[in-house]
Amino acid sequence: MLASPPQQITQLLRAWEAGDGVARESVVNLVYDHVRAIAACSLRHAPGATLTPTEIAHEALLRILGAEAGWQDRRHFFHVIAQATRQILVDAARRRHADKRGGAVERIDIAEAAEQIASADSDAQLLRIDAALAELGRSDQRRARTIELVYFGGYSRAEIAATLDVSEGTVDRDLRLARAWLKVAIEA
């Protein structure tokens, strides 16, 4: 997952929480490549997105840097990054969706128009997935987090199991059930 030892990142997160600005910068330097990889993974599940992995990584880190620290550990930090990445993609899809429905009128060239038409279903689909995932989270938080970690965080089964403190078998069951639940919720 990362070249740096997990304990090093956790110690830096705790120092950051205590107000150490140097620790904050060290965390950013240590995790940047991984945050960008999370963003790239998220984009694979949002084909209509017009953002780049770098743009998403920067926005996610800016959101995290502006938030109150309170990291339990490295896993918690990366889960929050995955949530921020998901929210960035959903916010962008909402803006594009609103623009297509008359929210903002501006001239675009033919290439941009073709891209917007091709991504119309993707934006609507991402918004439906986000709403369904939020609904699943209200009834089963662990399964919603499992889906979020896979699709928006790029985590492996083993990493999810470690993050959620469950077995890989439980992760497999949660994924199966959550995917089935989401499929029904999205198609309804």
Side-chain angles (χ1 to χ4, degrees):
M1 188 170 183
L2 283 171
S4 302
Q7 304 86 353
Q8 179 184 10
I9 294 172
T10 299
Q11 289 170 349
L12 287 169
L13 288 169
R14 291 197 176 125
W16 171 9
E17 187 173 10
D20 185 343
V22 174
R24 183 178 94 161
E25 294 306 314
S26 295
V27 168
V28 171
N29 290 332
L30 284 173
V31 303
Y32 178 78
D33 289 337
H34 188 65
V35 171
R36 194 174 178 292
I38 288 172
C41 179
S42 294
L43 282 173
R44 286 194 295 270
H45 301 289
T50 57
L51 299 169
T52 67
T54 301
E55 291 169 327
I56 294 170
H58 288 187
E59 178 66 23
L61 286 169
L62 283 173
R63 288 183 184 194
I64 296 301
L65 292 173
E68 289 291 319
W71 319 114
Q72 297 166 5
D73 56 20
R74 174 189 62 85
R75 287 186 230 157
H76 179 239
F77 177 81
F78 284 115
H79 178 72
V80 173
I81 288 287
Q83 287 175 324
T85 300
R86 171 184 165 204
Q87 197 56 54
I88 291 163
L89 289 171
V90 168
D91 290 347
R94 282 188 181 127
R95 280 191 302 277
R96 286 190 308 273
H97 194 68
D99 289 349
K100 291 175 195 167
R101 304 296 175 249
V105 179
E106 61 183 56
R107 291 189 161 239
I108 57 174
D109 67 22
I110 299 299
E112 290 176 1
E115 182 179 325
Q116 286 181 350
I117 290 167
S119 68
D121 291 339
S122 299
D123 287 344
Q125 183 74 357
L126 182 59
L127 295 175
R128 284 193 299 273
I129 290 169
D130 181 61
L133 196 53
E135 185 179 334
L136 175 60
R138 287 189 287 277
S139 64
D140 193 328
Q141 185 66 33
R142 189 182 73 213
R143 287 190 178 132
R145 286 185 70 195
T146 300
I147 290 289
E148 190 171 62
L149 290 171
V150 166
Y151 291 103
F152 295 97
Y155 281 49
S156 69
R157 289 174 43 244
E159 291 168 333
I160 294 168
T163 298
L164 300 179
D165 197 27
V166 296
S167 69
E168 288 185 36
T170 299
V171 170
D172 290 338
R173 281 188 300 283
D174 284 353
L175 282 172
R176 246 188 341 271
L177 292 169
R179 285 177 182 142
W181 189 94
L182 286 172
K183 184 177 192 292
V184 169
I186 291 168
E187 291 174 356

